[in-house]
Amino acid sequence: AVRGWGILPLGLLGIIIIIAYTPWVTRRPLLCLLAPGLGFGPLMVMGTHYVLTGGYDVVALLASLVPGFLVSNLLLLNQFPDLEADAEVQRRHIPIIMGRAVGARLYAALALAAYLVVVLAWIFGSFPPGTLIALLGLPLALLTIKGVLHYADRIDKLIPYLGKNVLYTLATPFLLGIGFMIS
């Protein structure tokens, strides 16, 4: 009502994801992987940007990919300890259908993709130099990736890396936001 109809597509997609999540999304591996990141990345970031500016742009889209990749990854890694319980209730996600080892490699790729977006957006002039502060989360991400790849099938050893995952998943978008503000 205040900013116009342009926000409606994002809002409707968000509502659809919420309604369809348990009965439908959790039974489709790719959607199960991407839906959380879509909700906490592009839908929230671009929606906020639209409400504040009245439009959409590439910078907001690129910025939204960082929390998008990281939040999808957060849920991906949190599926590892719950694999057997999730299978019993007919959830179908990547670790169930392809195994934890494949899930760990996908985890590594998505984590690195979040940081690659920041670097490439800066190289191509979409992000200001201050946004490179988001790379401060990369050492913790690399440590976590190493642990996830090594302990994917050893849940007792994997648990500490779930905590590290939460830390850099929260810190990186926060630092990216700080980087935009100081630039």
Side-chain angles (χ1 to χ4, degrees), residues 1-29:
V2 175
R3 293 294 181 180
W5 292 96
I7 194 71
L8 192 60
L10 295 180
L12 289 176
L13 183 55
I15 290 169
I16 290 167
I17 290 171
I18 291 167
I19 292 170
Y21 192 77
T22 299
W24 198 73
V25 172
T26 59
R27 286 157 174 65
R28 283 149 186 87

PDB file of all heavy atoms in Angstrom, residues 1-29:
ATOM      1  N   ALA A   1       0.827  -1.196   0.000  1.00  0.00           N
ATOM      2  CA  ALA A   1       0.000   0.000   0.000  1.00  0.00           C
ATOM      3  C   ALA A   1       0.871   1.261   0.000  1.00  0.00           C
ATOM      4  O   ALA A   1       0.507   2.257  -0.585  1.00  0.00           O
ATOM      5  CB  ALA A   1      -0.935  -0.002   1.199  1.00  0.00           C
ATOM      6  N   VAL A   2       2.008   1.216   0.651  1.00  0.00           N
ATOM      7  CA  VAL A   2       2.864   2.391   0.765  1.00  0.00           C
ATOM      8  C   VAL A   2       3.845   2.494  -0.405  1.00  0.00           C
ATOM      9  O   VAL A   2       4.052   3.570  -0.952  1.00  0.00           O
ATOM     10  CB  VAL A   2       3.649   2.369   2.107  1.00  0.00           C
ATOM     11  CG1 VAL A   2       4.637   3.514   2.186  1.00  0.00           C
ATOM     12  CG2 VAL A   2       2.677   2.409   3.271  1.00  0.00           C
ATOM     13  N   ARG A   3       4.440   1.389  -0.822  1.00  0.00           N
ATOM     14  CA  ARG A   3       5.507   1.412  -1.830  1.00  0.00           C
ATOM     15  C   ARG A   3       5.098   0.922  -3.212  1.00  0.00           C
ATOM     16  O   ARG A   3       5.899   0.942  -4.120  1.00  0.00           O
ATOM     17  CB  ARG A   3       6.704   0.593  -1.346  1.00  0.00           C
ATOM     18  CG  ARG A   3       7.395   1.186  -0.175  1.00  0.00           C
ATOM     19  CD  ARG A   3       8.036   2.490  -0.577  1.00  0.00           C
ATOM     20  NE  ARG A   3       8.734   3.056   0.555  1.00  0.00           N
ATOM     21  CZ  ARG A   3       9.384   4.185   0.511  1.00  0.00           C
ATOM     22  NH1 ARG A   3       9.451   4.869  -0.594  1.00  0.00           N
ATOM     23  NH2 ARG A   3       9.971   4.635   1.582  1.00  0.00           N
ATOM     24  N   GLY A   4       3.914   0.407  -3.365  1.00  0.00           N
ATOM     25  CA  GLY A   4       3.464  -0.008  -4.689  1.00  0.00           C
ATOM     26  C   GLY A   4       3.468  -1.513  -4.884  1.00  0.00           C
ATOM     27  O   GLY A   4       3.886  -2.286  -4.021  1.00  0.00           O
ATOM     28  N   TRP A   5       3.014  -1.888  -6.080  1.00  0.00           N
ATOM     29  CA  TRP A   5       2.809  -3.296  -6.407  1.00  0.00           C
ATOM     30  C   TRP A   5       4.111  -4.053  -6.653  1.00  0.00           C
ATOM     31  O   TRP A   5       4.108  -5.279  -6.702  1.00  0.00           O
ATOM     32  CB  TRP A   5       1.912  -3.413  -7.639  1.00  0.00           C
ATOM     33  CG  TRP A   5       0.506  -2.973  -7.362  1.00  0.00           C
ATOM     34  CD1 TRP A   5      -0.017  -1.738  -7.604  1.00  0.00           C
ATOM     35  CD2 TRP A   5      -0.514  -3.740  -6.758  1.00  0.00           C
ATOM     36  NE1 TRP A   5      -1.320  -1.686  -7.185  1.00  0.00           N
ATOM     37  CE2 TRP A   5      -1.665  -2.920  -6.662  1.00  0.00           C
ATOM     38  CE3 TRP A   5      -0.595  -5.044  -6.280  1.00  0.00           C
ATOM     39  CZ2 TRP A   5      -2.855  -3.355  -6.124  1.00  0.00           C
ATOM     40  CZ3 TRP A   5      -1.800  -5.477  -5.744  1.00  0.00           C
ATOM     41  CH2 TRP A   5      -2.900  -4.636  -5.671  1.00  0.00           C
ATOM     42  N   GLY A   6       5.203  -3.380  -6.819  1.00  0.00           N
ATOM     43  CA  GLY A   6       6.465  -4.038  -7.130  1.00  0.00           C
ATOM     44  C   GLY A   6       6.944  -5.022  -6.075  1.00  0.00           C
ATOM     45  O   GLY A   6       7.704  -5.937  -6.365  1.00  0.00           O
ATOM     46  N   ILE A   7       6.518  -4.842  -4.843  1.00  0.00           N
ATOM     47  CA  ILE A   7       6.909  -5.745  -3.762  1.00  0.00           C
ATOM     48  C   ILE A   7       6.084  -7.033  -3.768  1.00  0.00           C
ATOM     49  O   ILE A   7       6.484  -8.045  -3.189  1.00  0.00           O
ATOM     50  CB  ILE A   7       6.795  -5.032  -2.385  1.00  0.00           C
ATOM     51  CG1 ILE A   7       7.525  -5.815  -1.285  1.00  0.00           C
ATOM     52  CG2 ILE A   7       5.354  -4.789  -2.003  1.00  0.00           C
ATOM     53  CD1 ILE A   7       9.001  -5.790  -1.391  1.00  0.00           C
ATOM     54  N   LEU A   8       4.959  -7.012  -4.445  1.00  0.00           N
ATOM     55  CA  LEU A   8       4.030  -8.140  -4.422  1.00  0.00           C
ATOM     56  C   LEU A   8       4.644  -9.466  -4.880  1.00  0.00           C
ATOM     57  O   LEU A   8       4.440 -10.486  -4.209  1.00  0.00           O
ATOM     58  CB  LEU A   8       2.780  -7.815  -5.231  1.00  0.00           C
ATOM     59  CG  LEU A   8       1.620  -8.777  -5.074  1.00  0.00           C
ATOM     60  CD1 LEU A   8       1.152  -8.845  -3.629  1.00  0.00           C
ATOM     61  CD2 LEU A   8       0.471  -8.346  -5.982  1.00  0.00           C
ATOM     62  N   PRO A   9       5.407  -9.523  -5.985  1.00  0.00           N
ATOM     63  CA  PRO A   9       5.972 -10.821  -6.393  1.00  0.00           C
ATOM     64  C   PRO A   9       6.850 -11.461  -5.315  1.00  0.00           C
ATOM     65  O   PRO A   9       6.764 -12.670  -5.080  1.00  0.00           O
ATOM     66  CB  PRO A   9       6.786 -10.496  -7.643  1.00  0.00           C
ATOM     67  CG  PRO A   9       6.188  -9.244  -8.184  1.00  0.00           C
ATOM     68  CD  PRO A   9       5.700  -8.477  -6.977  1.00  0.00           C
ATOM     69  N   LEU A  10       7.664 -10.659  -4.658  1.00  0.00           N
ATOM     70  CA  LEU A  10       8.510 -11.217  -3.585  1.00  0.00           C
ATOM     71  C   LEU A  10       7.659 -11.711  -2.421  1.00  0.00           C
ATOM     72  O   LEU A  10       7.908 -12.782  -1.873  1.00  0.00           O
ATOM     73  CB  LEU A  10       9.513 -10.178  -3.091  1.00  0.00           C
ATOM     74  CG  LEU A  10      10.576  -9.717  -4.070  1.00  0.00           C
ATOM     75  CD1 LEU A  10      11.475  -8.679  -3.415  1.00  0.00           C
ATOM     76  CD2 LEU A  10      11.396 -10.879  -4.586  1.00  0.00           C
ATOM     77  N   GLY A  11       6.672 -10.924  -2.054  1.00  0.00           N
ATOM     78  CA  GLY A  11       5.792 -11.320  -0.951  1.00  0.00           C
ATOM     79  C   GLY A  11       5.021 -12.591  -1.252  1.00  0.00           C
ATOM     80  O   GLY A  11       4.917 -13.487  -0.399  1.00  0.00           O
ATOM     81  N   LEU A  12       4.510 -12.690  -2.451  1.00  0.00           N
ATOM     82  CA  LEU A  12       3.763 -13.894  -2.831  1.00  0.00           C
ATOM     83  C   LEU A  12       4.672 -15.127  -2.855  1.00  0.00           C
ATOM     84  O   LEU A  12       4.278 -16.194  -2.382  1.00  0.00           O
ATOM     85  CB  LEU A  12       3.084 -13.703  -4.190  1.00  0.00           C
ATOM     86  CG  LEU A  12       1.900 -12.747  -4.205  1.00  0.00           C
ATOM     87  CD1 LEU A  12       1.382 -12.561  -5.634  1.00  0.00           C
ATOM     88  CD2 LEU A  12       0.792 -13.238  -3.287  1.00  0.00           C
ATOM     89  N   LEU A  13       5.869 -14.975  -3.406  1.00  0.00           N
ATOM     90  CA  LEU A  13       6.808 -16.105  -3.421  1.00  0.00           C
ATOM     91  C   LEU A  13       7.152 -16.528  -1.993  1.00  0.00           C
ATOM     92  O   LEU A  13       7.204 -17.721  -1.692  1.00  0.00           O
ATOM     93  CB  LEU A  13       8.067 -15.753  -4.209  1.00  0.00           C
ATOM     94  CG  LEU A  13       9.087 -16.871  -4.370  1.00  0.00           C
ATOM     95  CD1 LEU A  13       8.478 -18.125  -4.990  1.00  0.00           C
ATOM     96  CD2 LEU A  13      10.270 -16.380  -5.203  1.00  0.00           C
ATOM     97  N   GLY A  14       7.355 -15.567  -1.105  1.00  0.00           N
ATOM     98  CA  GLY A  14       7.623 -15.886   0.290  1.00  0.00           C
ATOM     99  C   GLY A  14       6.479 -16.651   0.938  1.00  0.00           C
ATOM    100  O   GLY A  14       6.688 -17.636   1.651  1.00  0.00           O
ATOM    101  N   ILE A  15       5.263 -16.225   0.689  1.00  0.00           N
ATOM    102  CA  ILE A  15       4.089 -16.907   1.239  1.00  0.00           C
ATOM    103  C   ILE A  15       3.981 -18.324   0.689  1.00  0.00           C
ATOM    104  O   ILE A  15       3.707 -19.271   1.429  1.00  0.00           O
ATOM    105  CB  ILE A  15       2.805 -16.092   0.962  1.00  0.00           C
ATOM    106  CG1 ILE A  15       2.817 -14.817   1.810  1.00  0.00           C
ATOM    107  CG2 ILE A  15       1.557 -16.918   1.231  1.00  0.00           C
ATOM    108  CD1 ILE A  15       1.754 -13.804   1.433  1.00  0.00           C
ATOM    109  N   ILE A  16       4.219 -18.483  -0.610  1.00  0.00           N
ATOM    110  CA  ILE A  16       4.170 -19.813  -1.223  1.00  0.00           C
ATOM    111  C   ILE A  16       5.202 -20.735  -0.590  1.00  0.00           C
ATOM    112  O   ILE A  16       4.905 -21.891  -0.269  1.00  0.00           O
ATOM    113  CB  ILE A  16       4.365 -19.722  -2.754  1.00  0.00           C
ATOM    114  CG1 ILE A  16       3.127 -19.082  -3.390  1.00  0.00           C
ATOM    115  CG2 ILE A  16       4.639 -21.095  -3.359  1.00  0.00           C
ATOM    116  CD1 ILE A  16       3.322 -18.667  -4.835  1.00  0.00           C
ATOM    117  N   ILE A  17       6.427 -20.232  -0.385  1.00  0.00           N
ATOM    118  CA  ILE A  17       7.475 -21.053   0.242  1.00  0.00           C
ATOM    119  C   ILE A  17       7.058 -21.479   1.642  1.00  0.00           C
ATOM    120  O   ILE A  17       7.219 -22.639   2.032  1.00  0.00           O
ATOM    121  CB  ILE A  17       8.829 -20.312   0.257  1.00  0.00           C
ATOM    122  CG1 ILE A  17       9.383 -20.202  -1.160  1.00  0.00           C
ATOM    123  CG2 ILE A  17       9.834 -21.023   1.172  1.00  0.00           C
ATOM    124  CD1 ILE A  17      10.606 -19.315  -1.284  1.00  0.00           C
ATOM    125  N   ILE A  18       6.510 -20.551   2.406  1.00  0.00           N
ATOM    126  CA  ILE A  18       6.097 -20.869   3.779  1.00  0.00           C
ATOM    127  C   ILE A  18       5.003 -21.937   3.787  1.00  0.00           C
ATOM    128  O   ILE A  18       5.083 -22.923   4.523  1.00  0.00           O
ATOM    129  CB  ILE A  18       5.616 -19.598   4.514  1.00  0.00           C
ATOM    130  CG1 ILE A  18       6.797 -18.674   4.775  1.00  0.00           C
ATOM    131  CG2 ILE A  18       4.905 -19.953   5.811  1.00  0.00           C
ATOM    132  CD1 ILE A  18       6.411 -17.276   5.210  1.00  0.00           C
ATOM    133  N   ILE A  19       4.001 -21.748   2.966  1.00  0.00           N
ATOM    134  CA  ILE A  19       2.879 -22.691   2.940  1.00  0.00           C
ATOM    135  C   ILE A  19       3.304 -24.058   2.411  1.00  0.00           C
ATOM    136  O   ILE A  19       2.894 -25.097   2.927  1.00  0.00           O
ATOM    137  CB  ILE A  19       1.712 -22.125   2.102  1.00  0.00           C
ATOM    138  CG1 ILE A  19       1.100 -20.919   2.826  1.00  0.00           C
ATOM    139  CG2 ILE A  19       0.653 -23.187   1.821  1.00  0.00           C
ATOM    140  CD1 ILE A  19       0.105 -20.135   1.992  1.00  0.00           C
ATOM    141  N   ALA A  20       4.151 -24.064   1.392  1.00  0.00           N
ATOM    142  CA  ALA A  20       4.540 -25.325   0.741  1.00  0.00           C
ATOM    143  C   ALA A  20       5.731 -26.000   1.389  1.00  0.00           C
ATOM    144  O   ALA A  20       6.059 -27.137   1.044  1.00  0.00           O
ATOM    145  CB  ALA A  20       4.852 -25.054  -0.736  1.00  0.00           C
ATOM    146  N   TYR A  21       6.372 -25.368   2.359  1.00  0.00           N
ATOM    147  CA  TYR A  21       7.651 -25.871   2.850  1.00  0.00           C
ATOM    148  C   TYR A  21       7.568 -27.307   3.381  1.00  0.00           C
ATOM    149  O   TYR A  21       8.239 -28.203   2.885  1.00  0.00           O
ATOM    150  CB  TYR A  21       8.248 -24.941   3.905  1.00  0.00           C
ATOM    151  CG  TYR A  21       9.683 -25.293   4.199  1.00  0.00           C
ATOM    152  CD1 TYR A  21      10.682 -24.922   3.317  1.00  0.00           C
ATOM    153  CD2 TYR A  21      10.034 -26.018   5.326  1.00  0.00           C
ATOM    154  CE1 TYR A  21      12.003 -25.260   3.548  1.00  0.00           C
ATOM    155  CE2 TYR A  21      11.350 -26.360   5.565  1.00  0.00           C
ATOM    156  CZ  TYR A  21      12.333 -25.977   4.677  1.00  0.00           C
ATOM    157  OH  TYR A  21      13.640 -26.322   4.906  1.00  0.00           O
ATOM    158  N   THR A  22       6.777 -27.534   4.387  1.00  0.00           N
ATOM    159  CA  THR A  22       6.728 -28.874   4.984  1.00  0.00           C
ATOM    160  C   THR A  22       6.060 -29.915   4.081  1.00  0.00           C
ATOM    161  O   THR A  22       6.619 -30.986   3.884  1.00  0.00           O
ATOM    162  CB  THR A  22       6.057 -28.823   6.367  1.00  0.00           C
ATOM    163  OG1 THR A  22       6.838 -27.976   7.210  1.00  0.00           O
ATOM    164  CG2 THR A  22       5.973 -30.207   6.993  1.00  0.00           C
ATOM    165  N   PRO A  23       4.908 -29.628   3.497  1.00  0.00           N
ATOM    166  CA  PRO A  23       4.272 -30.686   2.711  1.00  0.00           C
ATOM    167  C   PRO A  23       4.902 -30.934   1.340  1.00  0.00           C
ATOM    168  O   PRO A  23       4.764 -32.023   0.794  1.00  0.00           O
ATOM    169  CB  PRO A  23       2.830 -30.199   2.549  1.00  0.00           C
ATOM    170  CG  PRO A  23       2.904 -28.722   2.686  1.00  0.00           C
ATOM    171  CD  PRO A  23       4.047 -28.450   3.626  1.00  0.00           C
ATOM    172  N   TRP A  24       5.598 -29.962   0.769  1.00  0.00           N
ATOM    173  CA  TRP A  24       6.043 -30.122  -0.612  1.00  0.00           C
ATOM    174  C   TRP A  24       7.542 -29.877  -0.797  1.00  0.00           C
ATOM    175  O   TRP A  24       8.236 -30.702  -1.379  1.00  0.00           O
ATOM    176  CB  TRP A  24       5.218 -29.163  -1.489  1.00  0.00           C
ATOM    177  CG  TRP A  24       5.253 -29.506  -2.930  1.00  0.00           C
ATOM    178  CD1 TRP A  24       4.628 -30.556  -3.540  1.00  0.00           C
ATOM    179  CD2 TRP A  24       5.959 -28.813  -3.951  1.00  0.00           C
ATOM    180  NE1 TRP A  24       4.911 -30.551  -4.892  1.00  0.00           N
ATOM    181  CE2 TRP A  24       5.726 -29.475  -5.163  1.00  0.00           C
ATOM    182  CE3 TRP A  24       6.779 -27.682  -3.968  1.00  0.00           C
ATOM    183  CZ2 TRP A  24       6.268 -29.062  -6.367  1.00  0.00           C
ATOM    184  CZ3 TRP A  24       7.307 -27.267  -5.175  1.00  0.00           C
ATOM    185  CH2 TRP A  24       7.046 -27.958  -6.351  1.00  0.00           C
ATOM    186  N   VAL A  25       8.053 -28.754  -0.311  1.00  0.00           N
ATOM    187  CA  VAL A  25       9.456 -28.381  -0.538  1.00  0.00           C
ATOM    188  C   VAL A  25      10.407 -29.386   0.087  1.00  0.00           C
ATOM    189  O   VAL A  25      11.412 -29.759  -0.536  1.00  0.00           O
ATOM    190  CB  VAL A  25       9.731 -26.948  -0.016  1.00  0.00           C
ATOM    191  CG1 VAL A  25      11.205 -26.615  -0.049  1.00  0.00           C
ATOM    192  CG2 VAL A  25       8.934 -25.924  -0.823  1.00  0.00           C
ATOM    193  N   THR A  26      10.113 -29.864   1.284  1.00  0.00           N
ATOM    194  CA  THR A  26      11.028 -30.785   1.975  1.00  0.00           C
ATOM    195  C   THR A  26      11.107 -32.148   1.306  1.00  0.00           C
ATOM    196  O   THR A  26      11.941 -32.970   1.682  1.00  0.00           O
ATOM    197  CB  THR A  26      10.612 -30.987   3.445  1.00  0.00           C
ATOM    198  OG1 THR A  26       9.289 -31.515   3.488  1.00  0.00           O
ATOM    199  CG2 THR A  26      10.716 -29.694   4.225  1.00  0.00           C
ATOM    200  N   ARG A  27      10.278 -32.390   0.319  1.00  0.00           N
ATOM    201  CA  ARG A  27      10.298 -33.664  -0.391  1.00  0.00           C
ATOM    202  C   ARG A  27      10.945 -33.548  -1.775  1.00  0.00           C
ATOM    203  O   ARG A  27      10.953 -34.492  -2.543  1.00  0.00           O
ATOM    204  CB  ARG A  27       8.879 -34.216  -0.513  1.00  0.00           C
ATOM    205  CG  ARG A  27       8.404 -34.762   0.839  1.00  0.00           C
ATOM    206  CD  ARG A  27       6.907 -34.807   0.964  1.00  0.00           C
ATOM    207  NE  ARG A  27       6.415 -35.444   2.170  1.00  0.00           N
ATOM    208  CZ  ARG A  27       6.576 -35.015   3.406  1.00  0.00           C
ATOM    209  NH1 ARG A  27       7.280 -33.974   3.660  1.00  0.00           N
ATOM    210  NH2 ARG A  27       6.035 -35.644   4.430  1.00  0.00           N
ATOM    211  N   ARG A  28      11.484 -32.381  -2.083  1.00  0.00           N
ATOM    212  CA  ARG A  28      12.176 -32.144  -3.347  1.00  0.00           C
ATOM    213  C   ARG A  28      13.567 -31.610  -3.031  1.00  0.00           C
ATOM    214  O   ARG A  28      13.704 -30.470  -2.575  1.00  0.00           O
ATOM    215  CB  ARG A  28      11.380 -31.167  -4.195  1.00  0.00           C
ATOM    216  CG  ARG A  28      10.203 -31.885  -4.827  1.00  0.00           C
ATOM    217  CD  ARG A  28       9.007 -31.023  -5.044  1.00  0.00           C
ATOM    218  NE  ARG A  28       7.878 -31.820  -5.527  1.00  0.00           N
ATOM    219  CZ  ARG A  28       7.031 -32.437  -4.731  1.00  0.00           C
ATOM    220  NH1 ARG A  28       7.183 -32.392  -3.431  1.00  0.00           N
ATOM    221  NH2 ARG A  28       6.023 -33.129  -5.228  1.00  0.00           N
ATOM    222  N   PRO A  29      14.596 -32.433  -3.228  1.00  0.00           N
ATOM    223  CA  PRO A  29      15.947 -32.104  -2.761  1.00  0.00           C
ATOM    224  C   PRO A  29      16.468 -30.729  -3.172  1.00  0.00           C
ATOM    225  O   PRO A  29      17.015 -30.004  -2.334  1.00  0.00           O
ATOM    226  CB  PRO A  29      16.800 -33.220  -3.349  1.00  0.00           C
ATOM    227  CG  PRO A  29      15.858 -34.361  -3.522  1.00  0.00           C
ATOM    228  CD  PRO A  29      14.534 -33.745  -3.863  1.00  0.00           C
TER     229      PRO A  29
END
